[in-house]
Amino acid sequence: MKKRILIPIIAIGIFFTTVSFKSDFFEIAKQIEIFTTLFKELNMNYVDEVTPATLMDKAIKGMLEDLDPYTVYWNEQQVEDAKINNSGIYTGIGASARSEKDKIIIVEPYKDYPADKAGLKAGDEIIQIGNVTIANLEDEAGNLLKGAPGSTVDVTFKRQGKTETVTITRGAVELKAVPFYKLINNDIGYIVLSQFNSKTTIETKAALVDLKSQGAKKLILDLRGNPGGLLNEAINVVNLFVDKGEVITTTKSVIEKYNQTYKTKSDPVDKEIPLVVLVNGRSASASEIVSGGLQDLDRAVIVGARSFGKGLVQRPKKLTYGTQLKVTISRYYTPSGRCIQALDYWHRDENGDAVRKDAKEYNAFKTKGGRTVYDGGGILPDVQLESAVYSPITTALLKDNAIFDYATKYYYSHQMADWKNFKFGEADFQDFIKFLKDNNFEYETETEKKFAEGLKISEDEDMSKDISASYNQLMAAIDTTKDKAIVDKKVEIESLLMDEILKRYFYREGLYNYQIEHNPEILEAVSVLNDAGRYRKILK
């Protein structure tokens, strides 16, 4: 009896000291006690053996499910993973990977790190680590790849139908926030910024200073695909290009202490250098703070496609036993007052899906110089390019890993010695379409979802027999349209295919070198910077 009462009493104390009278504590205590007794009785009486940790994990996920997707519970390992992401340094095999039910798929081996030295390639399917078969493992298999520097691990993997085993010697791995920078055309600096970790500002500043010493008089900052990270690092990156004391973002919340104004605190490195920032649909969070701040202050021309639209700020809160709650605490706003959050998780549709704000509902704001910009749907570039867009079909291809899988097929069926000679022609694109059909690639459009809902309603109203023929005709028409969509979106799909293929042969260094000469967004950025009149006209 004491154990059952003790937990709610402790919980009341925790809530009392941290929530500051925000809620009805008696109701909270009541619900916690109900849950505690249910949890105890379930574990003691259920017909089959249950794992308390698994039950609790599912209960927590269920509790958070109807909130935004960024409010999440982290177990001890996930807390450690977050620390690694923020520091950019860890010990392991040096590869990004994707975990599936019975295997780990290597997504990208980092050049000259342990996995690469051992010969692992993107697309390799790890099925056993040491003596542990992944299919028999309930915990996160990727943890088995981590270990002390210099220790070894045997990895068994499948490649193109063959099973192989290699021994990998673990080592320190440093993921750079700036994996690449280079001088283009003797006077344009190009910096790739891939994440916002604790070293982002230091690395970006070092690259900027080095490029200026080489003769850079203009600059391209590439934030495409950058998912974000640390807020303060985003502020500090903007500070490299704008005066001390400028407001870069404000955060607003129903909780007073989270209402903050973030200003630049240092003198800039260069507040005059002409600047273009590249973004796309996978540029999110801190990337949008940087691009939105520079746009609102009329300090840079934004080129590419509308960014992701994540205007929510999270903060980790420590829980017991090394776990954490990463909770959304506020919304952030750009200097002009825009909140660029694209999805409304608090007003969902009849299916429980977050509602995307209609473009007609966007509100207009003014930049520092009087230009009109809009809220509600990410950062809209000043110069928009089709090649940077992520349409629904492209997003589906990425989610299904179709582009990744085709790149694996391409790598093992084509020889390539030099990125300078790489071409992805019409025959290759048609081969990709055939690959999709051979592998039964399918995706469901919003239109199909709505029609399916209508058919289900018609069954309840005894109308399905009368409309089934028409419904089948509609589905056939939609399938034809979907096939056409792949061809219609060839530019954006082909761009992603080329990027993924080039990484297989020449790592990221080769990819970036190729993009400098061929990528439409980079070429457009160069064009804008080389036309001083156009650059000034966009910003004024």
Side-chain angles (χ1 to χ4, degrees):
M1 185 67 179
K2 288 182 179 179
K3 183 178 180 182
R4 192 189 74 179
I5 295 174
L6 180 61
I7 295 175
I9 289 175
I10 293 173
I12 292 171
I14 293 170
F15 274 102
F16 188 82
T17 56
T18 59
V19 180
S20 304
F21 299 96
K22 182 182 175 184
S23 304
D24 184 336
F25 295 112
F26 293 104
E27 182 63 23
I28 292 172
K30 172 185 173 183
Q31 297 303 325
I32 290 175
E33 185 168 2
I34 290 171
F35 177 80
T36 304
T37 53
L38 182 150
F39 188 61
K40 174 185 173 183
E41 296 298 334
L42 189 62
N43 277 281
M44 291 177 63
N45 299 298
Y46 189 68
V47 62
D48 293 322
E49 184 177 354
V50 293
T51 305
T54 302
L55 283 176
M56 183 59 74
D57 192 55
K58 290 181 178 179
I60 292 171
K61 289 179 179 177
M63 180 170 60
L64 302 178
E65 189 174 19
D66 286 339
L67 305 178
D68 66 271
Y70 312 110
T71 297
V72 294
Y73 166 74
W74 282 342
N75 60 32
E76 294 168 271
Q77 185 56 52
Q78 289 167 321
V79 171
E80 290 304 310
D81 291 343
K83 290 178 181 178
I84 290 170
N85 288 336
N86 289 337
S87 69
I89 301 174
Y90 70 98
T91 300
I93 67 169
S96 64
R98 181 176 74 248
S99 294
E100 296 190 358
K101 185 178 180 180
D102 57 352
K103 58 192 172 186
I104 296 175
I105 298 176
I106 298 295
V107 174
E108 180 184 0
Y110 304 132
K111 186 178 180 182
D112 295 331
Y113 280 113
D116 182 42
K117 290 179 179 178
L120 286 182
K121 302 288 185 183
D124 287 347
E125 301 177 356
I126 298 176
I127 56 174
Q128 184 173 314
I129 301 172
N131 295 322
V132 179
T133 301
I134 293 175
N136 299 331
L137 193 65
E138 290 186 4
D139 297 328
E140 176 57 52
N143 295 331
L144 298 175
L145 296 173
K146 299 173 183 177
S151 62
T152 60
V153 58
D154 292 331
V155 172
T156 301
F157 63 94
K158 288 184 178 180
R159 175 189 294 170
Q160 300 293 289
K162 296 180 180 179
T163 301
E164 303 179 41
T165 299
V166 296
T167 300
I168 303 176
T169 302
R170 300 181 181 96
V173 179
E174 182 176 1
L175 302 178
K176 289 186 174 293
V178 177
F180 183 87
Y181 70 90
K182 188 174 183 178
L183 189 68
I184 305 174
N185 300 342
N186 298 318
D187 67 345
I188 298 177
Y190 173 69
I191 300 175
V192 177
L193 209 172
S194 63
Q195 59 184 308
F196 287 87
N197 61 29
S198 60
K199 295 184 177 181
T200 295
T201 305
I202 294 172
E203 292 182 19
T204 306
K205 181 178 180 179
L208 175 59
V209 170
D210 188 18
L211 288 167
K212 284 170 63 69
S213 72
Q214 295 180 44
K217 295 179 174 58
K218 309 158 194 173
L219 187 70
I220 300 170
L221 186 63
D222 193 343
L223 295 176
R224 292 174 301 169
N226 186 321
L230 301 176
L231 173 62
N232 285 333
E233 289 297 311
I235 307 300
N236 294 336
V237 166
V238 178
N239 197 174
L240 297 175
F241 306 103
V242 304
D243 279 322
K244 179 179 180 180
E246 288 279 7
V247 174
I248 305 304
T249 188
T250 56
T251 58
K252 298 179 183 180
S253 172
V254 294
I255 301 175
E256 184 67 28
K257 67 178 180 179
Y258 295 140
N259 295 333
Q260 300 285 335
T261 297
Y262 294 86
K263 297 182 180 181
T264 51
K265 297 180 179 179
S266 306
D267 293 324
V269 173
D270 193 329
K271 66 177 186 178
E272 300 295 336
I273 188 169
L275 175 63
V276 167
V277 178
L278 301 180
V279 297
N280 63 12
R282 290 191 291 176
S283 305
S285 192
S287 294
E288 295 171 301
I289 290 175
V290 171
S291 54
L294 292 170
Q295 186 180 50
D296 281 6
L297 296 173
D298 300 301
R299 181 61 188 87
V301 172
I302 313 300
V303 172
R306 187 184 291 278
S307 63
F308 182 80
K310 180 180 179 289
L312 304 175
V313 180
Q314 287 73 45
R315 178 169 294 180
K317 293 291 184 179
K318 290 184 179 180
L319 306 176
T320 55
Y321 299 103
T323 62
Q324 284 186 3
L325 170 68
K326 191 179 79 161
V327 58
T328 295
I329 59 169
S330 58
R331 293 176 176 85
Y332 74 77
Y333 296 78
T334 67
S336 68
R338 292 183 287 168
C339 181
I340 53 80
Q341 178 64 27
L343 293 174
D344 185 351
Y345 297 103
W346 296 269
H347 299 89
R348 297 173 182 260
D349 62 20
E350 61 273 14
N351 298 317
D353 296 325
V355 177
R356 180 174 291 274
K357 193 173 183 181
D358 191 283
K360 296 177 182 177
E361 299 173 346
Y362 293 166
N363 299 303
F365 294 82
K366 294 295 183 182
T367 67
K368 189 174 184 179
R371 295 187 300 146
T372 301
V373 288
Y374 297 91
D375 68 354
I379 302 301
L380 184 66
D382 303 303
V383 180
Q384 300 178 64
L385 294 177
E386 183 184 3
S387 57
V389 173
Y390 286 82
S391 62
I393 179 64
T394 303
T395 302
L397 289 167
L398 289 169
K399 187 176 180 180
D400 195 63
N401 297 308
I403 289 174
F404 178 87
D405 291 341
Y406 180 77
T408 301
K409 170 184 176 294
Y410 188 98
Y411 177 78
Y412 289 107
S413 58
H414 292 75
Q415 297 294 321
M416 196 185 312
D418 190 341
W419 58 264
K420 293 181 180 179
N421 298 320
F422 175 56
K423 291 183 180 179
F424 193 84
E426 180 60 29
D428 294 313
F429 190 74
Q430 291 302 319
D431 185 57
F432 172 66
I433 293 175
K434 181 179 182 297
F435 173 82
L436 295 180
K437 292 179 179 178
D438 291 344
N439 288 273
N440 300 314
F441 168 73
E442 293 181 355
Y443 79 102
E444 188 177 33
T445 65
E446 287 299 317
T447 301
E448 285 175 293
K449 290 180 183 178
K450 296 299 182 184
F451 277 135
E453 290 168 16
L455 183 65
K456 190 172 183 179
I457 293 171
S458 73
E459 291 173 354
D460 295 336
E461 297 177 348
D462 294 326
M463 298 172 59
S464 60
K465 290 182 180 179
D466 296 329
I467 67 172
S468 60
S470 298
Y471 175 81
N472 291 334
Q473 287 179 343
L474 279 170
M475 292 301 102
I478 289 173
D479 286 340
T480 301
T481 303
K482 287 197 296 186
D483 289 341
K484 183 175 179 292
I486 295 175
V487 177
D488 289 344
K489 301 301 179 182
K490 177 183 175 181
V491 172
E492 59 189 79
I493 294 171
E494 201 168 66
S495 178
L496 291 169
L497 283 166
M498 292 169 68
D499 289 354
E500 187 61 46
I501 289 169
L502 281 163
K503 279 192 299 183
R504 303 302 176 95
Y505 294 92
F506 310 112
Y507 304 91
R508 286 188 175 268
E509 183 179 3
L511 167 63
Y512 295 135
N513 275 308
Y514 181 87
Q515 285 193 343
I516 285 172
E517 296 187 12
H518 300 279
N519 180 261
E521 295 101 271
I522 296 176
L523 295 177
E524 184 65 21
V526 170
S527 176
V528 170
L529 289 171
N530 283 338
D531 188 339
R534 183 186 178 197
Y535 180 85
R536 288 193 299 269
K537 184 178 180 180
I538 292 172
L539 292 180
K540 294 182 180 179

